[in-house]
Every structure is written in structure tokens, then in C-alpha cells.
Amino acid sequence: MTYLELLILAVSLTFDTFAVSVGGGISLPDIKLSKKAQIVAFFGFFQGAYLFAGWFIGGKFANIISEWDHWVAFAILTYLGGKMFLGAFSKQQQEEHLPDFLSWKKLFFFATATSIDAVAVGASLALLEIDTTAISITTLFTVIATAAASWLGLQGGRKLGDRVGKKAEMWGGVVLIVIGMKILIEHAITFG
């Protein structure tokens, strides 16, 4: 594969992260730039690490991963999206119901759900006998592209959240559930 093809591959892995970041940005309060940078770095790191791990593991577990990755992503996103959706109708004050991106544990689940497909992509690159230099460059492309997508999603979601008002968290939850369903549908179409 050429470096251009690897760059395109890296960018294609960022779409779910972008969509989830829009959902997170909708429900986030006004946070410091340093916190946004931490969230962005978290998503970038996980996407790159999972891609590299998939390549490192290689084809040994590719069949197992591809059989279950969509179900894991769907379950995590639906669970977290459902909690966000129901939280929007909670009688607790909005300050007491923290958005998911402010919890490291929940952020870990979001980063995992949006990055798990990178493991299968990495494994497929190993099957194509991509060398260490190429996978290192691809991992770097992936980290940068994912961080950029997350940043753009957070910024866009925040602006949308200001307009939506009190039910912003509900819309963020809906976005997550839709992404989970999209992952299942894409898998059914691809491997149907």
C-alpha cells in the first residue's frame, strides 16, 4: 500500500470518533481548553494504539475480532447513549448529572467503542505484510487524524449544544445509539 492509501485508511477510521465527539460536545458544559486537549489526546491515543496492537497481533485473532467487534461497539454505545438519553429527563439538576466525557471511565468506553475496529484493520494490514515503518507512519497518521476529528466534533457539538438547550444530553444519547446501530448495519451489509 502507498502512503497516500495508508493516510486515507487512517482518516476513514476517524468517522465514528467524530460522530461520538459531536454527541459528547453537545452535552459538555463549557470546559477548559486543557480538558478538551485531554479528551482529544485520549481518542487519538486509543485509535492509534488499537491499530498498532491489531497489526502486532496479526492475523492470529483477526477472525475472532471481526466476528464480535460490531457487537461490542454496539453494546457499549447503546448502553452509554441510553444513559445519556434517560439522564436528560432526570429530575436532578443538570450540574449533578455529569456528561460522559468528564468521567475517565466512561471516556475509556467511548474510546474503546470507536477504536475497536482499528484492531481488525491493523490485523488486516499485518496480513498484507505491511512493514514496521509503514505501520508506524500509519499509526501516526491515525493518531493525528483521530485527534483532529475529535476536536472538530467537540467544537461543533458544543455550538450545537448551546442552541439545543436543556435537552442537549438527550440528543447526544440519540447520536451514540444511532452510531451503534450503524456499526451493526454496516457489518451485516459487509459480511451478510
Side-chain angles (χ1 to χ4, degrees):
M1 293 182 84
T2 68
Y3 287 120
L4 178 60
E5 290 171 324
L6 293 173
L7 175 61
I8 292 168
L9 176 67
V11 170
S12 73
L13 288 172
T14 69
F15 293 122
D16 288 345
T17 300
F18 174 76
V20 167
S21 294
V22 168
I26 286 173
S27 64
L28 277 176
D30 194 20
I31 59 173
K32 293 181 181 180
L33 182 62
S34 61
K35 182 62 178 175
K36 284 183 185 176
Q38 290 173 358
I39 292 168
V40 166
F42 210 80
F43 277 110
F45 171 78
F46 271 83
Q47 192 82 274
Y50 279 27
L51 177 72
F52 191 83
W55 174 82
F56 186 76
I57 293 167
K60 295 178 183 179
F61 300 106
N63 291 337
I64 295 169
I65 293 166
S66 66
E67 286 182 36
W68 296 100
D69 65 346
H70 56 288
W71 287 108
V72 172
F74 172 75
I76 291 171
L77 292 172
T78 302
Y79 171 74
L80 294 172
K83 275 189 82 166
M84 284 178 69
F85 183 85
L86 295 174
F89 297 101
S90 172
K91 294 189 180 186
Q92 294 176 346
Q93 292 184 359
Q94 202 159 7
E95 303 89 45
E96 295 175 13
H97 189 75
L98 294 175
D100 293 313
F101 280 7
L102 297 180
S103 161
W104 289 111
K105 182 179 177 183
K106 291 179 182 176
L107 187 57
F108 168 79
F109 285 119
F110 281 115
T112 297
T114 59
S115 300
I116 199 164
D117 57 338
V119 178
V121 171
S124 67
L125 290 176
L127 294 174
L128 294 172
E129 298 180 0
I130 298 295
D131 64 24
T132 306
T133 302
I135 193 62
S136 298
I137 291 171
T138 306
T139 301
L140 180 62
F141 285 161
T142 301
V143 169
I144 292 169
T146 302
S150 179
W151 180 262
L152 292 171
L154 284 172
Q155 294 300 99
R158 179 72 192 132
K159 289 177 183 172
L160 182 59
D162 289 339
R163 291 191 195 125
V164 174
K166 291 182 180 180
K167 301 302 178 193
E169 193 169 2
M170 174 187 75
W171 293 111
V174 169
V175 168
L176 295 180
I177 293 168
V178 168
I179 292 168
M181 292 170 62
K182 176 184 139 300
I183 290 169
L184 278 184
I185 291 167
E186 284 177 349
H187 185 340
I189 290 170
T190 305
F191 298 102

